[in-house]
Amino acid sequence: MLPIIDKNRQKEYALLSLLDSEDRYFSCQELAKNLTISERTVHKYLQSLTVQLENFSADELSIERSTALGIRLHRAPWLNIHTIYAQFAQQSLTYDFFHSIFLETADTSTAFCLAHFVSSASLYRSLSPMRQTLSAFSLSLDAADMQLVGEEMQVRYFYNNFYLQIYRGYEWPFPAISRQLVMNAIDDITSALDSPMNVNDRKHFSYWLAVIAHRLSLRHCLTTPLPAALGLNNEAYHTSLPAIRRFFQRLHLPVLEPECQFIFYLLHAFPFGMNVQQRLFAAARDERGFDCLPLTATDHFLAVFARYFPQWMGMGSPSFRLKLHRLHFHGALLRGSSDLLERYPFLKTYTLNYPCFAQSMAKLFASLAPHPCGRCFTDERYLLPHYILLCSQYFDLTSCEPIIHLALLTDYGPIYEEKIKKEITSHFRDDFHLKFVSTNQPHDILITNLPARIHTSGHLTLSIHTAFNQREWSLLGQLLRQAQMAQQAKAD
């Protein structure tokens, strides 16, 4: 996520998120340990949060503090605590600074500091985390002159992310732009393409159009047509062009060809609906065929993909290819940070859970760039997490890992043993590649309920009592991870 919230408020929101993670009482010691802060600081943050929640009724959102039971967050099922994040973000110095740059309401940081009663040193300390983030968008910050330095498309991409992260499309931070006119323009464009959008996609697209319109109103415009290799000059573009032009005309903005192309391009590069993109990608293919850079990038990706994951070729649905098209249209023109790591914790642990898949994916990505469409593959920070998520959606990642052979030696009888096998497979199928074999075949782990000690150097052994209890499930998970690491070490 973009580091918009001030440091102390980040901790407060982390505390609120932790309390929201489970509907139970937390001890102060537990909260302090999880957040790596002192218990005294926990109480300080709780007091501040209590003040922040005063606008909510007790039935909506409240923090209960009990000496005997601990600390508990009460939240109505319909309420999302992101509303607190948005509140914190709007109160932050970082938000005020970048919002001022966007609106161009301050010429210099000195004027901004005077208006906000802060010193230049305090301001620069607050902005420090954002400087590194801006580099992911190929931008830099000229704080003194209140400017973002970089390509205009990247400035727009940053601000789209900036406002979406805070408001999620449900508030309108663009005072000079009519939201109704923007929504009417979206209806006009999607009607021309005969491809309606859902509510969330409309809100996302509306932020893009508002950012474009505001930047144009301040004379920050695109002057060069988009590259012909993107394949935008086709029947879908000419069909939607009158609607796009009307958008600019209704807002009394100049109708420039690069700006019209850019709006049309955005429909290719972001998830604004599969039905929209099916039409767009088909039109691009019909017009330029294999000369269309992003579509060629997908063909190249799938050819390389087949070398590293031959077992999956032919298994992905047509939507797998369509989603790759979208990623490659994005990569051909835009550079930007992705917040997938925050939204999907799986991405932080997949290298541990699926080491063979992770190695193959890293090699695959390294093999993509030496190609005429290599510009589509340069934004690793954005593309690689999306590739990994796509694979996890369409394929069984455990199939890439070495098979762990399990054997049962019990006196349960064949019917109950089959039940145990199904339970084990169901419990661990998302984490390990498992296969059951008989005890006279080579195996990695032996599972038994017999009281005699059965332990040899040839395999790991787990003794269970009757059915699996929580301790035994945990022990089996540890043994499976141990067997996986041993096999990985042999392969290396």
Side-chain angles (χ1 to χ4, degrees), residues 234-250:
N234 55 54
E235 62 85 17
Y237 177 62
H238 296 298
T239 298
S240 60
L241 185 57
I244 296 173
R245 285 175 172 166
R246 284 194 293 272
F247 164 67
F248 293 114
Q249 291 165 350
R250 287 166 181 165

Side-chain angles (χ1 to χ4, degrees), residues 209-229:
L209 294 184
V211 168
I212 291 169
H214 183 78
R215 293 291 293 176
L216 264 178
S217 71
L218 298 174
R219 304 181 187 279
H220 302 295
C221 58
L222 304 177
T223 57
T224 305
L226 301 193

